[in-house]
Amino acid sequence: EVMGSLFKVNSEDEFIKWAAKKGDKFLLAEKADGCTIVAYYEQGKLVTLATRGDGVTGEDITTNARYFENVRLKLPIAFSGTLRGEGIIYSDRFEQHFAPLGMANPRNAASGKARDTKNPELKRYITVKWFDVLTNDRTFATWEEKFSFIENLDLEPIPYRKELSSKEVWKVYEEYVKHSRKKLNYWIDGLVCRISNM
């Protein structure tokens, strides 16, 4: 599965024009800024954990999986498929444990530590927030179903809001720009709007 880039909009007019062609209900989620991580499970057991790499070929980091705060080596159900998420380091943890080591920011620290073969004690500060699930075992009619399924796997999805109209999406976006983003304890580099209907 190729992990490509997202289409970006920078104004309300651009967004409304895009949304008008796509539907009337949307799911809005934070776009966490860290290290993109892909997890492959077979019958509920973690087989491979990898970075996004160049979008086609990732780097195998399975040996680090047991250190990350909330990556499950075994899921509560016999799920076979792929999960995609973002490995982040909370800002307060970065200031306490990584900044004193001369690391520049939480994004670089997450990316470096996720792939590092040393310092297991620092890897436990990486938290993964999941944003997609792919499987041949079942079909999903909406993005809401995907996010609910992630929660049913006892995993933490990226914060999201569902069943929003295009006007509500833009209102939430403006709220993030003015207030919400600066209150977060982790970095985001925007919001991702998905057409609810798969």
Side-chain angles (χ1 to χ4, degrees), residues 153-170:
L153 293 175
D154 196 26
L155 296 171
E156 182 181 354
I158 195 80
Y160 69 98
R161 302 190 194 191
K162 59 189 179 181
E163 293 289 307
L164 298 179
S165 68
S166 57
K167 290 196 172 175
E168 288 170 328
V169 165
W170 196 259

Side-chain angles (χ1 to χ4, degrees), residues 57-186:
T57 305
E59 183 177 344
D60 189 333
I61 57 166
T62 311
T63 53
N64 287 342
R66 68 184 185 275
Y67 300 117
F68 296 166
E69 181 177 57
N70 61 347
V71 170
R72 305 248 180 264
L73 302 182
K74 192 162 190 247
L75 298 172
I77 62 172
F79 166 76
S80 295
T82 304
L83 289 154
R84 293 174 175 175
E86 194 78 3
I88 62 157
I89 295 171
Y90 288 109
S91 301
D92 57 350
R93 292 176 173 181
F94 173 78
E95 292 302 330
Q96 186 176 354
H97 302 285
F98 297 88
L101 301 175
M103 294 187 185
N105 57 58
R107 180 205 307 117
N108 291 4
S111 187
K113 280 294 138 206
R115 293 157 43 234
D116 189 6
T117 55
K118 301 167 188 167
N119 296 327
E121 68 279 1
L122 287 177
K123 291 174 199 164
R124 66 192 172 96
Y125 297 115
I126 294 175
T127 299
V128 182
K129 293 183 180 285
W130 303 96
F131 59 78
D132 198 2
V133 55
L134 304 161
T135 178
N136 293 325
D137 292 350
R138 59 172 292 167
T139 55
F140 299 97
T142 64
W143 271 98
E144 287 81 1
E145 288 181 17
K146 281 196 171 200
F147 274 69
S148 291
F149 187 75
I150 290 169
E151 290 170 324
N152 289 338
L153 293 175
D154 196 26
L155 296 171
E156 182 181 354
I158 195 80
Y160 69 98
R161 302 190 194 191
K162 59 189 179 181
E163 293 289 307
L164 298 179
S165 68
S166 57
K167 290 196 172 175
E168 288 170 328
V169 165
W170 196 259
K171 196 172 173 184
V172 172
Y173 167 74
E174 288 184 322
E175 176 65 25
Y176 264 83
V177 171
K178 289 175 187 168
H179 306 291
S180 304
R181 186 175 184 175
K182 58 188 168 211
K183 292 178 185 171
L184 295 175
N185 191 24
Y186 50 90

